[in-house]
Amino acid sequence: MIKKQESKHVLKISISDSNIKKSRRRAASLKNSRRKISAGGEIYGLLAEELFLDNYGGTLIDNKDYDINHNSIGRIDVKTKRCSSPPESHYTCSVAEYQLDNDCDYYAFYRIHVNLNTAWFLGIISKAEFLKKATKLNKGDMDGSFVCKANCYNIKISELKTISDVMVKS
C-alpha cells in the first residue's frame, strides 16, 4: 500500500509479498512478449499494474492497447522503469514509439526498485497531453546517464498529474 507522499507527484509504495507472488505468476505465463524493452523486465511492469489496482482500483484488461480499465479515468496503459534509487522530479517517464498507436486514454508511470521492495507511483497523464508535451529520443540517445534502448517519447515526472487531478468527480 502507499506509504508516504514524496512530492506532489511521487508516492512511495511498500511492495507486499502478495503483489510479488501475483506478478511472478503472471510473468511465468508470458511467452515471447513485446511488452518489454529490457530482458527480465516483465515482472516490474506486471507488479506496477498490481500496485495500481490495489491502490486505485479498476479492472485488469491486459490487452495490447492498455492494461487497466478504470470507471473514473478510462483506459490506462501502465509504464514502468526499474531503478536503483528514488526518483527525482527531473527524471523522465517514457513511452516507446511503437506503442504510441495503442488505444488508451491515459499513461500511469511507476519506478520499481530492482530489489522489488519499493515502488514509486510517479503520476498520470492523458495520452493527448503526453503527445503534446513529450520529447522524442532515438535509440542510442542519452536520457540522463542512460542509453535509450528504443525510439521513445519522454516527459519529466514534474509534468505529470496526480490521481486526484484526473479522477472524474461523481
Side-chain angles (χ1 to χ4, degrees), residues 126-158:
S126 72
K127 180 178 178 180
E129 188 174 357
F130 177 85
L131 292 172
K132 286 179 191 170
K133 292 183 172 183
T135 302
K136 182 177 182 186
L137 293 175
N138 294 308
K139 182 177 180 176
D141 286 352
M142 296 301 291
D143 178 14
S145 60
F146 297 94
V147 177
C148 293
K149 296 180 181 179
N151 292 349
C152 63
Y153 285 78
N154 284 3
I155 192 166
K156 289 181 182 178
I157 292 171
S158 61

Side-chain angles (χ1 to χ4, degrees), residues 25-146:
R25 277 195 300 273
R26 286 180 61 207
S29 70
L30 295 177
K31 296 200 170 85
N32 291 330
S33 175
R34 292 179 11 148
R35 299 168 50 103
K36 59 186 183 339
I37 291 176
S38 58
E42 61 275 349
I43 186 69
Y44 298 91
L46 297 171
L47 186 52
E49 293 168 12
E50 293 294 334
L51 294 171
F52 188 96
L53 291 167
D54 278 1
N55 289 292
Y56 306 113
T59 303
L60 180 66
I61 302 297
D62 205 17
N63 67 33
K64 78 167 196 66
D65 290 311
Y66 60 98
D67 304 305
I68 294 168
N69 190 36
H70 193 282
N71 288 340
S72 298
I73 301 171
R75 300 164 301 169
I76 303 164
D77 197 4
V78 178
K79 300 297 178 192
T80 312
K81 290 183 180 180
R82 59 185 146 187
C83 62
S84 58
S85 62
E88 297 182 25
S89 62
H90 66 276
Y91 286 8
T92 59
C93 300
S94 305
V95 176
E97 183 175 53
Y98 71 86
Q99 295 175 324
L100 292 178
D101 290 334
N102 290 3
D103 190 18
C104 65
D105 302 310
Y106 281 85
Y107 295 117
F109 295 97
Y110 282 81
R111 285 192 181 233
I112 297 183
H113 197 279
V114 292
N115 65 14
L116 299 177
N117 68 1
T118 305
W120 293 269
F121 175 66
L122 307 174
I124 189 165
I125 191 168
S126 72
K127 180 178 178 180
E129 188 174 357
F130 177 85
L131 292 172
K132 286 179 191 170
K133 292 183 172 183
T135 302
K136 182 177 182 186
L137 293 175
N138 294 308
K139 182 177 180 176
D141 286 352
M142 296 301 291
D143 178 14
S145 60
F146 297 94

